[in-house]
Amino acid sequence: MTYAPFHVEGADRPSRWLVTCDHATNTVPDFVNGGDLGIAPEDMARHIAYDVGALGLAQGLARALDGPLIRTDFSRLVIDPNRGEDDPTLVMKLYDGTIIPGNRHADEAERERRLNKLYRPYHSALAKLAARREDTIILSVHSFTRQFRNRPARPWHIGVLYAADARLARPLLVRLAQEPDLCVGDNQPYSGHLPGDAIARHALAYQRPNVLIELRNDLIADDEAQAAWAARLAPILEDAAQAAGV
């Protein structure tokens, strides 16, 4: 089977929602350092290599919202599609205490090769999907680790991230605040402002309503939990979009 850097599911689904999963897998293609970045399997299974649980959640949300899903099939450690092309962390050499030997000698030529074979094809396909309707809403699905090494534990169950356009994020935060069992992060555990990232390129640049959600990865560690969260969040997202009037 021929390797593809991204996959689209439900391309013919009719709704205005477009679900993206930038860090869906921990795949290292064979043409990158022989398919091995030189780190232990347990590190490749951690959040440093991909967003654990995010793919299943994104698939469930796309089905529930009746919109297409686009997701990558390369590790964020190979090249991070949620970074601008000029971002110094585009090809990480150290992440959460783990050195990435396969990236140690990745020079400008290797960076450009990975951009052309992985990053740019994904963004080109995402751009086409986003343009399929004039009223597209972009939902970016990610997950985060409960605790970085030697750092305090994070209290949030879910984070709502946004940058300059908070049309959807604000009512989503209001709606999630009504869930008594949830600790909700407002631009936590990260800021939603990252110049040149996927939201900036495909949503902000075209004034498309958007939001990025982060689920704590221990809460979506298996298929059952991913399905349950997708079923819970889909109507909440629909409520937020209606409240936003977008």
Side-chain angles (χ1 to χ4, degrees):
M1 185 174 178
T2 304
Y3 170 76
F6 67 88
H7 300 281
V8 176
E9 301 177 16
D12 58 349
R13 291 177 188 151
S15 89
R16 58 188 299 210
W17 292 92
L18 170 59
V19 181
T20 69
C21 192
D22 298 326
H23 302 143
T25 76
N26 59 359
T27 301
V28 181
D30 288 343
F31 57 81
V32 176
N33 210 52
D36 186 352
L37 292 176
I39 66 176
E42 54 266 31
D43 275 328
M44 285 303 297
R46 291 204 300 134
H47 68 98
I48 66 171
Y50 73 120
D51 281 358
V52 178
L55 175 56
L57 174 64
Q59 289 171 324
L61 282 168
R63 286 190 295 266
L65 295 168
D66 204 22
L69 163 71
I70 183 168
R71 50 100 166 180
T72 59
D73 195 11
F74 53 91
S75 172
R76 65 191 300 167
L77 294 179
V78 174
I79 192 164
D80 193 333
N82 196 36
R83 296 288 185 274
E85 289 197 16
D86 59 351
D87 193 304
T89 65
L90 188 67
V91 178
M92 296 286 282
K93 300 187 178 183
L94 173 68
Y95 191 14
D96 194 19
T98 297
I99 295 172
I100 319 300
N103 291 343
R104 183 176 181 182
H105 300 295
D107 57 12
E108 185 63 27
E110 175 61 15
R111 178 180 169 280
E112 190 68 16
R113 190 172 75 102
R114 296 184 194 184
L115 281 167
N116 285 330
K117 294 178 77 70
L118 301 166
Y119 180 107
R120 288 171 180 151
Y122 170 65
H123 281 286
S124 177
L126 200 168
K128 290 177 182 177
L129 278 172
R132 82 197 192 287
R133 294 181 54 140
E134 292 184 358
D135 59 350
T136 293
I137 299 175
I138 295 181
L139 169 64
S140 184
V141 179
H142 293 252
S143 72
F144 66 97
T145 186
R146 183 168 191 167
Q147 187 169 17
F148 279 116
R149 289 175 175 172
N150 303 315
R151 299 282 186 88
R154 293 157 155 174
W156 309 284
H157 300 109
I158 183 171
V160 175
L161 275 59
Y162 55 93
D165 181 357
R167 285 177 293 168
L168 181 55
R170 286 297 181 197
L172 179 57
L173 284 163
V174 170
R175 178 62 183 81
L176 287 169
Q178 298 170 16
E179 302 290 304
D181 60 328
L182 295 185
C183 179
V184 181
D186 182 343
N187 258 342
Q188 296 286 356
Y190 316 104
S191 166
H193 177 64
L194 189 62
D197 69 0
I199 289 292
R201 291 181 61 162
H202 301 289
L204 300 183
Y206 298 91
Q207 298 183 319
R208 292 176 179 130
N210 66 89
V211 71
L212 187 155
I213 58 171
E214 292 264 5
L215 265 289
R216 209 176 68 204
N217 61 23
D218 61 309
L219 302 177
I220 49 171
D222 57 38
D223 293 347
E224 183 178 1
Q226 292 155 22
W229 272 98
R232 180 179 187 177
L233 289 175
I236 291 174
L237 285 158
E238 293 276 32
D239 288 349
Q242 184 175 7
V246 296

PDB file of all heavy atoms in Angstrom, residues 149-168:
ATOM      1  N   ARG A 149       7.173  16.063  32.360  1.00  0.00           N
ATOM      2  CA  ARG A 149       8.169  15.599  33.322  1.00  0.00           C
ATOM      3  C   ARG A 149       8.670  16.761  34.174  1.00  0.00           C
ATOM      4  O   ARG A 149       9.010  17.823  33.668  1.00  0.00           O
ATOM      5  CB  ARG A 149       9.345  14.948  32.585  1.00  0.00           C
ATOM      6  CG  ARG A 149       8.995  13.599  31.968  1.00  0.00           C
ATOM      7  CD  ARG A 149      10.118  13.028  31.156  1.00  0.00           C
ATOM      8  NE  ARG A 149       9.796  11.681  30.684  1.00  0.00           N
ATOM      9  CZ  ARG A 149      10.526  10.994  29.821  1.00  0.00           C
ATOM     10  NH1 ARG A 149      11.625  11.527  29.305  1.00  0.00           N
ATOM     11  NH2 ARG A 149      10.164   9.776  29.447  1.00  0.00           N
ATOM     12  N   ASN A 150       8.675  16.539  35.478  1.00  0.00           N
ATOM     13  CA  ASN A 150       9.164  17.523  36.448  1.00  0.00           C
ATOM     14  C   ASN A 150       8.375  18.838  36.413  1.00  0.00           C
ATOM     15  O   ASN A 150       8.900  19.898  36.736  1.00  0.00           O
ATOM     16  CB  ASN A 150      10.664  17.816  36.217  1.00  0.00           C
ATOM     17  CG  ASN A 150      11.504  16.567  36.292  1.00  0.00           C
ATOM     18  OD1 ASN A 150      11.343  15.751  37.190  1.00  0.00           O
ATOM     19  ND2 ASN A 150      12.402  16.401  35.323  1.00  0.00           N
ATOM     20  N   ARG A 151       7.100  18.750  36.015  1.00  0.00           N
ATOM     21  CA  ARG A 151       6.227  19.922  35.999  1.00  0.00           C
ATOM     22  C   ARG A 151       4.980  19.622  36.827  1.00  0.00           C
ATOM     23  O   ARG A 151       4.621  18.457  37.032  1.00  0.00           O
ATOM     24  CB  ARG A 151       5.810  20.266  34.562  1.00  0.00           C
ATOM     25  CG  ARG A 151       6.976  20.608  33.644  1.00  0.00           C
ATOM     26  CD  ARG A 151       7.485  22.019  33.865  1.00  0.00           C
ATOM     27  NE  ARG A 151       8.508  22.365  32.893  1.00  0.00           N
ATOM     28  CZ  ARG A 151       8.252  22.900  31.709  1.00  0.00           C
ATOM     29  NH1 ARG A 151       6.997  23.146  31.343  1.00  0.00           N
ATOM     30  NH2 ARG A 151       9.236  23.200  30.889  1.00  0.00           N
ATOM     31  N   PRO A 152       4.269  20.643  37.271  1.00  0.00           N
ATOM     32  CA  PRO A 152       3.023  20.413  38.023  1.00  0.00           C
ATOM     33  C   PRO A 152       1.964  19.736  37.150  1.00  0.00           C
ATOM     34  O   PRO A 152       1.936  19.917  35.921  1.00  0.00           O
ATOM     35  CB  PRO A 152       2.574  21.829  38.416  1.00  0.00           C
ATOM     36  CG  PRO A 152       3.787  22.687  38.273  1.00  0.00           C
ATOM     37  CD  PRO A 152       4.612  22.087  37.182  1.00  0.00           C
ATOM     38  N   ALA A 153       1.098  18.987  37.779  1.00  0.00           N
ATOM     39  CA  ALA A 153      -0.017  18.372  37.062  1.00  0.00           C
ATOM     40  C   ALA A 153      -0.980  19.451  36.573  1.00  0.00           C
ATOM     41  O   ALA A 153      -1.151  20.487  37.217  1.00  0.00           O
ATOM     42  CB  ALA A 153      -0.740  17.387  37.959  1.00  0.00           C
ATOM     43  N   ARG A 154      -1.608  19.194  35.446  1.00  0.00           N
ATOM     44  CA  ARG A 154      -2.573  20.136  34.880  1.00  0.00           C
ATOM     45  C   ARG A 154      -3.976  19.743  35.335  1.00  0.00           C
ATOM     46  O   ARG A 154      -4.364  18.574  35.228  1.00  0.00           O
ATOM     47  CB  ARG A 154      -2.493  20.086  33.358  1.00  0.00           C
ATOM     48  CG  ARG A 154      -1.155  20.629  32.820  1.00  0.00           C
ATOM     49  CD  ARG A 154      -0.891  20.051  31.453  1.00  0.00           C
ATOM     50  NE  ARG A 154      -0.028  20.895  30.646  1.00  0.00           N
ATOM     51  CZ  ARG A 154       0.442  20.548  29.441  1.00  0.00           C
ATOM     52  NH1 ARG A 154       0.120  19.380  28.925  1.00  0.00           N
ATOM     53  NH2 ARG A 154       1.215  21.357  28.767  1.00  0.00           N
ATOM     54  N   PRO A 155      -4.765  20.699  35.794  1.00  0.00           N
ATOM     55  CA  PRO A 155      -6.068  20.356  36.364  1.00  0.00           C
ATOM     56  C   PRO A 155      -7.188  20.209  35.341  1.00  0.00           C
ATOM     57  O   PRO A 155      -8.233  19.649  35.643  1.00  0.00           O
ATOM     58  CB  PRO A 155      -6.365  21.546  37.276  1.00  0.00           C
ATOM     59  CG  PRO A 155      -5.694  22.701  36.585  1.00  0.00           C
ATOM     60  CD  PRO A 155      -4.426  22.125  35.980  1.00  0.00           C
ATOM     61  N   TRP A 156      -6.994  20.712  34.119  1.00  0.00           N
ATOM     62  CA  TRP A 156      -8.107  20.806  33.177  1.00  0.00           C
ATOM     63  C   TRP A 156      -8.463  19.447  32.576  1.00  0.00           C
ATOM     64  O   TRP A 156      -7.608  18.614  32.311  1.00  0.00           O
ATOM     65  CB  TRP A 156      -7.759  21.783  32.054  1.00  0.00           C
ATOM     66  CG  TRP A 156      -7.265  23.087  32.578  1.00  0.00           C
ATOM     67  CD1 TRP A 156      -8.013  24.098  33.122  1.00  0.00           C
ATOM     68  CD2 TRP A 156      -5.898  23.520  32.662  1.00  0.00           C
ATOM     69  NE1 TRP A 156      -7.204  25.128  33.524  1.00  0.00           N
ATOM     70  CE2 TRP A 156      -5.906  24.805  33.255  1.00  0.00           C
ATOM     71  CE3 TRP A 156      -4.680  22.957  32.283  1.00  0.00           C
ATOM     72  CZ2 TRP A 156      -4.735  25.525  33.475  1.00  0.00           C
ATOM     73  CZ3 TRP A 156      -3.516  23.653  32.507  1.00  0.00           C
ATOM     74  CH2 TRP A 156      -3.550  24.933  33.100  1.00  0.00           C
ATOM     75  N   HIS A 157      -9.749  19.265  32.335  1.00  0.00           N
ATOM     76  CA  HIS A 157     -10.211  18.112  31.569  1.00  0.00           C
ATOM     77  C   HIS A 157     -10.221  18.428  30.075  1.00  0.00           C
ATOM     78  O   HIS A 157      -9.905  17.575  29.245  1.00  0.00           O
ATOM     79  CB  HIS A 157     -11.627  17.713  31.993  1.00  0.00           C
ATOM     80  CG  HIS A 157     -11.745  17.341  33.427  1.00  0.00           C
ATOM     81  ND1 HIS A 157     -12.385  18.132  34.356  1.00  0.00           N
ATOM     82  CD2 HIS A 157     -11.290  16.249  34.105  1.00  0.00           C
ATOM     83  CE1 HIS A 157     -12.336  17.554  35.541  1.00  0.00           C
ATOM     84  NE2 HIS A 157     -11.674  16.422  35.426  1.00  0.00           N
ATOM     85  N   ILE A 158     -10.603  19.638  29.765  1.00  0.00           N
ATOM     86  CA  ILE A 158     -10.707  20.089  28.376  1.00  0.00           C
ATOM     87  C   ILE A 158     -10.258  21.534  28.295  1.00  0.00           C
ATOM     88  O   ILE A 158     -10.499  22.319  29.220  1.00  0.00           O
ATOM     89  CB  ILE A 158     -12.153  19.929  27.842  1.00  0.00           C
ATOM     90  CG1 ILE A 158     -12.249  20.325  26.368  1.00  0.00           C
ATOM     91  CG2 ILE A 158     -13.155  20.687  28.703  1.00  0.00           C
ATOM     92  CD1 ILE A 158     -13.600  19.990  25.730  1.00  0.00           C
ATOM     93  N   GLY A 159      -9.591  21.868  27.217  1.00  0.00           N
ATOM     94  CA  GLY A 159      -9.195  23.243  26.974  1.00  0.00           C
ATOM     95  C   GLY A 159      -9.815  23.748  25.688  1.00  0.00           C
ATOM     96  O   GLY A 159      -9.957  22.994  24.710  1.00  0.00           O
ATOM     97  N   VAL A 160     -10.195  25.018  25.685  1.00  0.00           N
ATOM     98  CA  VAL A 160     -10.723  25.688  24.501  1.00  0.00           C
ATOM     99  C   VAL A 160      -9.703  26.740  24.094  1.00  0.00           C
ATOM    100  O   VAL A 160      -9.431  27.681  24.852  1.00  0.00           O
ATOM    101  CB  VAL A 160     -12.087  26.334  24.784  1.00  0.00           C
ATOM    102  CG1 VAL A 160     -12.580  27.125  23.576  1.00  0.00           C
ATOM    103  CG2 VAL A 160     -13.101  25.276  25.189  1.00  0.00           C
ATOM    104  N   LEU A 161      -9.135  26.568  22.894  1.00  0.00           N
ATOM    105  CA  LEU A 161      -8.076  27.458  22.432  1.00  0.00           C
ATOM    106  C   LEU A 161      -8.566  28.312  21.283  1.00  0.00           C
ATOM    107  O   LEU A 161      -9.318  27.844  20.418  1.00  0.00           O
ATOM    108  CB  LEU A 161      -6.858  26.642  21.984  1.00  0.00           C
ATOM    109  CG  LEU A 161      -5.850  26.224  23.074  1.00  0.00           C
ATOM    110  CD1 LEU A 161      -6.512  25.382  24.152  1.00  0.00           C
ATOM    111  CD2 LEU A 161      -4.675  25.469  22.473  1.00  0.00           C
ATOM    112  N   TYR A 162      -8.124  29.559  21.267  1.00  0.00           N
ATOM    113  CA  TYR A 162      -8.531  30.495  20.230  1.00  0.00           C
ATOM    114  C   TYR A 162      -7.505  31.610  20.169  1.00  0.00           C
ATOM    115  O   TYR A 162      -6.707  31.802  21.085  1.00  0.00           O
ATOM    116  CB  TYR A 162      -9.924  31.065  20.528  1.00  0.00           C
ATOM    117  CG  TYR A 162     -10.030  31.697  21.903  1.00  0.00           C
ATOM    118  CD1 TYR A 162      -9.820  33.061  22.091  1.00  0.00           C
ATOM    119  CD2 TYR A 162     -10.300  30.919  23.032  1.00  0.00           C
ATOM    120  CE1 TYR A 162      -9.889  33.633  23.354  1.00  0.00           C
ATOM    121  CE2 TYR A 162     -10.372  31.481  24.292  1.00  0.00           C
ATOM    122  CZ  TYR A 162     -10.166  32.835  24.444  1.00  0.00           C
ATOM    123  OH  TYR A 162     -10.224  33.390  25.694  1.00  0.00           O
ATOM    124  N   ALA A 163      -7.540  32.345  19.070  1.00  0.00           N
ATOM    125  CA  ALA A 163      -6.632  33.484  18.903  1.00  0.00           C
ATOM    126  C   ALA A 163      -7.469  34.737  18.694  1.00  0.00           C
ATOM    127  O   ALA A 163      -8.288  35.088  19.541  1.00  0.00           O
ATOM    128  CB  ALA A 163      -5.681  33.217  17.732  1.00  0.00           C
ATOM    129  N   ALA A 164      -7.313  35.389  17.565  1.00  0.00           N
ATOM    130  CA  ALA A 164      -7.989  36.663  17.342  1.00  0.00           C
ATOM    131  C   ALA A 164      -9.494  36.512  17.182  1.00  0.00           C
ATOM    132  O   ALA A 164     -10.251  37.445  17.481  1.00  0.00           O
ATOM    133  CB  ALA A 164      -7.403  37.333  16.094  1.00  0.00           C
ATOM    134  N   ASP A 165      -9.950  35.371  16.708  1.00  0.00           N
ATOM    135  CA  ASP A 165     -11.366  35.155  16.445  1.00  0.00           C
ATOM    136  C   ASP A 165     -11.944  34.228  17.512  1.00  0.00           C
ATOM    137  O   ASP A 165     -11.731  33.014  17.484  1.00  0.00           O
ATOM    138  CB  ASP A 165     -11.535  34.541  15.053  1.00  0.00           C
ATOM    139  CG  ASP A 165     -12.988  34.303  14.687  1.00  0.00           C
ATOM    140  OD1 ASP A 165     -13.874  34.565  15.530  1.00  0.00           O
ATOM    141  OD2 ASP A 165     -13.240  33.845  13.558  1.00  0.00           O
ATOM    142  N   ALA A 166     -12.676  34.785  18.451  1.00  0.00           N
ATOM    143  CA  ALA A 166     -13.266  34.006  19.546  1.00  0.00           C
ATOM    144  C   ALA A 166     -14.775  33.849  19.395  1.00  0.00           C
ATOM    145  O   ALA A 166     -15.468  33.525  20.359  1.00  0.00           O
ATOM    146  CB  ALA A 166     -12.938  34.666  20.885  1.00  0.00           C
ATOM    147  N   ARG A 167     -15.299  34.050  18.174  1.00  0.00           N
ATOM    148  CA  ARG A 167     -16.749  33.989  17.967  1.00  0.00           C
ATOM    149  C   ARG A 167     -17.338  32.662  18.438  1.00  0.00           C
ATOM    150  O   ARG A 167     -18.417  32.631  19.040  1.00  0.00           O
ATOM    151  CB  ARG A 167     -17.079  34.188  16.488  1.00  0.00           C
ATOM    152  CG  ARG A 167     -16.966  35.609  15.987  1.00  0.00           C
ATOM    153  CD  ARG A 167     -17.235  35.663  14.501  1.00  0.00           C
ATOM    154  NE  ARG A 167     -16.194  34.979  13.723  1.00  0.00           N
ATOM    155  CZ  ARG A 167     -16.302  34.687  12.430  1.00  0.00           C
ATOM    156  NH1 ARG A 167     -17.424  34.989  11.770  1.00  0.00           N
ATOM    157  NH2 ARG A 167     -15.308  34.090  11.780  1.00  0.00           N
ATOM    158  N   LEU A 168     -16.663  31.581  18.155  1.00  0.00           N
ATOM    159  CA  LEU A 168     -17.163  30.265  18.557  1.00  0.00           C
ATOM    160  C   LEU A 168     -16.632  29.864  19.925  1.00  0.00           C
ATOM    161  O   LEU A 168     -17.336  29.230  20.722  1.00  0.00           O
ATOM    162  CB  LEU A 168     -16.768  29.226  17.507  1.00  0.00           C
ATOM    163  CG  LEU A 168     -17.224  27.784  17.750  1.00  0.00           C
ATOM    164  CD1 LEU A 168     -18.734  27.712  17.947  1.00  0.00           C
ATOM    165  CD2 LEU A 168     -16.796  26.900  16.584  1.00  0.00           C
TER     166      LEU A 168
END
